[in-house]
Amino acid sequence: MYAAGPAHLTARFRRGLAIAASVLSLVGLVAVVQGVARADNPIVQTIYTADPAPLVHNGRVYLYTGHDEDNSTWFTMKEWRVWSSADMVNWTDHGSPLNIASFSWASKDAWAGQAIYRNGKFYWYVPMTVRATGQMGIGVAVSNSPTGPFTDAIGRPLVSNGQIDPTVFIDDDGQAYLYWGNPDLWYVKLNADMTSYSGSPTKVQLTTSGFGARTGDANRPTLFEEGPWLYKRNSLYYMVFAARCCSEFIAYSTAPTATGPWTYRGTIMPTQGSSFTNHAGIIDFNGGSYFFYHNGALPGGGGFTRSVAVEKFSYNSDGTIPTITMTTNGAPQVGTVDPYVRQEGESIAFSSGVETEAASEGGRNVSFIDNGDWIKVKGVGFGTGASSFTARVASGTSGGRIELRLGSATGTLVGTCTVSGTGGWQTWTSVSCPVSGATGTQDLYLRFTGGSGSLLNLNWWQFTGSGTTPTSAPPTTAPPTTRPPTSAPPTSAVVTTSAGVTSRSPSVPPTTPGTGACTASYRTTNSWSGGFQGEVTVTAGSAAVNGWTVRWTLGSGQTITQVWSGVLTTSGSTASVANASYNGSLAAAGSTTFGFLANGTATTPSLTCTSP
């Protein structure tokens, strides 16, 4: 359907959610003040989103959306965005892997598209204005990953007849179909390569028996408006669409084949909310059925500043779809969040005030965090309890604090981590703090406090269970982020290379790495009774490296309980940390750092760094 464009919410606008109770545009429902359980719809609050297109792949739901620009007075859209979730409530922001500039032949209008998986690749069909003709055309982008990056697959429009809103479907026999249209409804049969088609585009005959009767518009006798969504369930083909502008509602038709004949079945979601458009996507996931749509429910929202939401539903016994109403509660959670493995900061159920941006360490981080902002992570399974918390943070100012609260943004305080300035908004370090009282399954709120202006950035977080935590929790001061000087204390004294161990005293400069080799230097960044925090910097030699592993022998009584920016394996007393997915490739003389928490007394290890 109509779509809109990219941009972050303005700071003043973002504050609207945090300062006071705001009336949501959504059917008179109200966003509650901080301290009370909050709604989880819309599912994205950091930007305006529109035209949801969900895709289930390998146990996750990937959600492809448009992006309405702040303060838009038209469908101003410049990019597409991707989000994903394993539990339907906490959504990870993967940023924008595709935009208008990805297509050399397009000039504007990144409107509603849909992605699909086939033969190891992901194909994303999107409408844009064709620069040469000024009319809408549909392009196809391809990627090896559901989160991109995507590139133009054919360097021209796949189809171009001035109409919009592609939906794509692969039938059980392998035949793929691409439908699109407004004011008409068209389709082509895609070839197996998903980037070409056989025959000519076919115009569907829109009849009142097939798509419902519209009154008052002789040029549009049926209810079909735009935004088709085609899928199959139990041998029945469903065509869901936005009906009768404006304001639109969501209706659907069914057919015995992917090309009809279609029979109108009625309304799914009546006209409601403050957006005069709507756009639907339907999937089955983990035994449940889910209906995605958009509305204007965020502060400042409306027909050109929309937000994606989701509801769970059940089909009637005859396969018909029940009437679905917009809510602020959204879908129930599937399972729980494991706090004892690394969780991305940008995986959010609901938030107030924050934005996201690309992180230098890979992926994205939460940004523009001011005093009083917060992030909600729904359904965190603490089990018998957590005893410490670690966060990957950066700050270009003097930092702030991360309050760990349960139940609400002003709920039970179970821990506070102090973040000091790190010297830059992408200069990352890890901070840890003790936790007490986090047990069972809870909604976790990370509430940020401090002075004026932006306080810090957050990349990821992780708790340590009480069964594996040091007898005393680590201090709250941030560890240093730069390599120690040559006069560093003995804890940073040993470097080894893939050619062998090279020991040096603290006053001796680091040895020059050999070509193709890597070096590793260690320092203890914090210590306490029963445990310590360490940091290892890996540096490439005179040639670039692609992948690295650092190994060392653990001291007596030492066990590693947590690692960030690396992947830990242990064998007996030998610890091995390999690169994470985002920091394995280092340019010549380039470096990266990983850190860890450990039980026991800090010692200076002899490190061996190897690269394939």
Side-chain angles (χ1 to χ4, degrees):
M1 65 170 291
Y2 307 114
H8 294 304
L9 306 181
T10 63
R12 182 168 59 183
F13 169 82
R14 294 183 299 110
R15 298 294 157 247
L17 222 54
I19 294 173
S22 301
V23 177
L24 292 183
S25 309
L26 170 59
V27 204
L29 292 172
V30 176
V32 199
V33 293
Q34 288 187 25
V36 182
R38 299 188 62 95
D40 293 324
N41 265 338
I43 59 178
V44 175
Q45 311 86 39
T46 53
I47 61 171
Y48 293 118
T49 54
D51 306 318
L55 168 67
V56 178
H57 182 72
N58 285 350
R60 290 187 74 84
V61 176
Y62 292 88
L63 181 62
Y64 301 82
T65 75
H67 178 181
D68 287 343
E69 294 286 349
D70 293 357
N71 305 313
S72 289
T73 56
W74 178 244
F75 303 105
T76 308
M77 306 176 81
K78 304 173 185 176
E79 66 179 4
W80 296 270
R81 303 286 292 237
V82 182
W83 322 80
S84 73
S85 177
D87 63 9
M88 296 303 297
V89 298
N90 297 294
W91 292 88
T92 302
D93 184 353
H94 298 287
S96 173
L98 188 68
N99 57 51
I100 289 294
S102 304
F103 301 89
S104 61
W105 48 268
S107 60
K108 60 178 182 176
D109 300 329
W111 289 0
Q114 185 182 349
I116 199 167
Y117 173 78
R118 188 169 199 174
N119 297 330
K121 294 184 181 296
F122 298 84
Y123 298 89
W124 199 349
Y125 301 85
V126 287
M128 296 154 285
T129 296
V130 181
R131 181 180 290 105
T133 64
Q135 71 174 9
M136 295 299 293
I138 295 171
V140 54
V142 65
S143 176
N144 293 322
S145 164
T147 59
F150 284 81
T151 58
D152 186 356
I154 57 177
R156 55 178 172 77
L158 177 63
V159 292
S160 182
N161 62 0
Q163 301 198 28
I164 58 174
D165 292 1
T167 182
V168 60
F169 165 73
I170 302 173
D171 210 343
D172 297 337
D173 62 1
Q175 178 61 61
Y177 297 85
L178 184 75
Y179 273 83
W180 74 99
N182 176 340
D184 306 305
L185 181 60
W186 296 80
Y187 76 87
V188 293
K189 291 184 177 181
L190 295 172
N191 295 326
D193 61 9
M194 302 300 284
T195 60
S196 62
Y197 58 88
S198 300
S200 300
T202 298
K203 186 177 179 179
V204 176
Q205 184 179 0
L206 295 176
T207 65
T208 56
S209 62
F211 294 90
R214 183 190 314 221
T215 59
D217 188 346
N219 296 319
R220 303 286 289 263
T222 75
L223 291 172
F224 178 82
E225 184 72 26
E226 58 184 350
W229 181 271
L230 175 64
Y231 69 100
K232 182 181 183 181
R233 180 179 182 271
N234 294 339
S235 300
L236 190 64
Y237 296 80
Y238 292 73
M239 181 68 75
V240 179
F241 56 92
R244 194 196 59 209
C245 187
C246 287
S247 293
E248 294 175 345
F249 63 95
I250 301 298
Y252 76 112
S253 304
T254 62
T257 74
T259 57
W262 297 100
T263 301
Y264 181 64
R265 296 299 183 186
T267 298
I268 300 176
M269 178 170 278
T271 299
Q272 53 194 282
S274 67
S275 171
F276 59 84
T277 69
N278 203 345
H279 189 110
I282 295 180
I283 56 167
D284 286 336
F285 176 67
N286 269 2
S289 298
Y290 297 88
F291 179 86
F292 289 80
Y293 59 97
H294 69 223
N295 56 38
L298 285 181
F304 302 116
T305 45
R306 298 158 294 179
S307 298
V308 169
V310 63
E311 310 292 344
K312 187 178 182 181
F313 74 97
S314 297
Y315 290 87
N316 297 319
S317 59
D318 60 359
T320 56
I321 302 174
T323 301
I324 300 172
T325 299
M326 298 180 184
T327 75
T328 55
N329 294 325
Q333 186 170 12
V334 178
T336 58
V337 174
D338 183 355
Y340 304 118
V341 299
R342 169 174 158 167
Q343 299 291 339
E344 296 302 317
E346 65 275 15
S347 294
I348 299 170
F350 212 81
S351 64
S352 176
V354 302
E355 300 181 17
T356 70
E357 65 185 7
S360 62
E361 295 186 319
R364 299 185 71 75
N365 62 261
V366 181
S367 59
F368 295 96
I369 297 171
D370 291 1
N371 180 55
D373 290 350
W374 51 262
I375 292 168
K376 173 185 178 182
V377 183
K378 192 169 184 176
V380 179
F382 290 105
T384 57
S387 57
S388 69
F389 172 84
T390 298
R392 189 71 168 169
V393 295
S395 177
T397 56
S398 58
R401 294 175 299 279
I402 305 173
E403 296 180 353
L404 309 175
R405 295 185 177 270
L406 304 180
S408 75
T410 55
T412 302
L413 180 67
V414 296
T416 302
C417 270
T418 299
V419 178
S420 301
T422 65
W425 295 110
Q426 292 294 316
T427 302
W428 296 98
T429 190
S430 300
V431 298
S432 299
C433 56
V435 173
S436 177
T439 61
T441 298
Q442 307 272 357
D443 290 347
L444 171 68
Y445 286 74
L446 276 60
R447 186 173 185 269
F448 306 99
T449 61
S452 61
S454 292
L455 304 176
L456 58 102
N457 286 347
L458 171 67
N459 193 347
W460 54 259
W461 57 266
Q462 184 174 349
F463 285 83
T464 299
S466 56
T468 58
T469 330
T471 54
S472 298
T476 58
T477 54
T481 58
T482 57
R483 294 186 68 180
T486 55
S487 58
T491 54
S492 59
V494 177
V495 166
T496 62
T497 73
S498 55
V501 177
T502 305
S503 299
R504 59 183 174 88
S505 69
S507 59
V508 178
T511 57
T512 303
T515 301
C518 57
T519 62
S521 62
Y522 168 82
R523 60 183 167 180
T524 298
T525 54
N526 277 317
S527 61
W528 55 93
S529 175
F532 63 98
Q533 181 173 331
E535 199 167 78
V536 175
T537 297
V538 178
T539 303
S542 57
V545 300
N546 186 17
W548 49 262
T549 300
V550 177
R551 297 180 178 86
W552 71 95
T553 300
L554 296 171
S556 176
Q558 291 181 347
T559 57
I560 297 177
T561 60
Q562 192 175 138
V563 169
W564 49 92
S565 299
V567 179
L568 171 70
T569 58
T570 57
S571 177
S573 62
T574 300
S576 299
V577 175
N579 59 274
S581 60
Y582 51 83
N583 63 358
S585 296
L586 301 176
S591 64
T592 189
T593 299
F594 69 85
F596 63 89
L597 291 178
N599 293 329
T601 302
T603 57
T604 302
S606 294
L607 306 176
T608 300
C609 183
T610 57
S611 176

